[in-house]
Amino acid sequence: MSTYDRVEEPQVNEGIFEPRLRPAHVGSPASEAPLPKIITVGQLLHQLQTLDPDLPVYLAVNPDWPYVHRIGRLVEDRQALGNGAVYIAEDGQEDVLPPDVRTQLGWPLA
């Protein structure tokens, strides 16, 4: 799992502040590399491009219910939130989230 650190020089796209992101040390705790609360499609693609393209992708949603969730459909709504948004649906759960992943996310172990 790869995380990202903020870089001092921000990007401004259409008046919206977007911190530049750079790859951080693989396996570093999430608490050391915070991401913006809302990321763009471009930022998500950038993060995914640094990873092995053959790996499956799952969602880790809730530290109180640490399960691996499958990704479902992607939906774009051009009117949502004023400027549009993309939504990633959850499509069921697989298994308990591995302890090392919970640690990297900064989530408590059960």
Side-chain angles (χ1 to χ4, degrees):
M1 171 171 280
S2 182
T3 55
Y4 287 78
D5 290 327
R6 290 181 189 225
V7 175
E8 296 301 318
E9 305 167 26
Q11 294 179 20
V12 178
N13 293 329
E14 299 176 12
I16 298 171
F17 172 78
E18 295 181 12
R20 288 188 181 178
L21 304 174
R22 67 168 183 240
H25 173 69
V26 173
S28 63
S31 61
E32 293 178 14
L35 284 172
K37 293 276 183 191
I38 299 172
I39 65 170
T40 65
V41 170
Q43 289 169 323
L44 178 60
L45 287 172
H46 175 76
Q47 291 177 55
L48 291 172
Q49 288 173 345
T50 66
L51 305 172
D52 180 345
D54 295 322
L55 291 175
V57 176
Y58 296 102
L59 299 172
V61 180
N62 183 348
D64 295 325
W65 194 257
Y67 283 87
V68 174
H69 296 265
R70 293 184 302 271
I71 292 178
R73 294 182 53 202
L74 302 177
V75 176
E76 178 183 16
D77 182 346
R78 295 226 174 231
Q79 284 127 16
L81 307 174
N83 293 321
V86 174
Y87 297 89
I88 301 173
E90 182 267 350
D91 191 28
Q93 67 187 38
E94 291 283 318
D95 203 351
V96 175
L97 199 62
D100 63 317
V101 174
R102 285 185 283 187
T103 300
Q104 290 180 57
L105 290 170
W107 293 3
L109 297 176

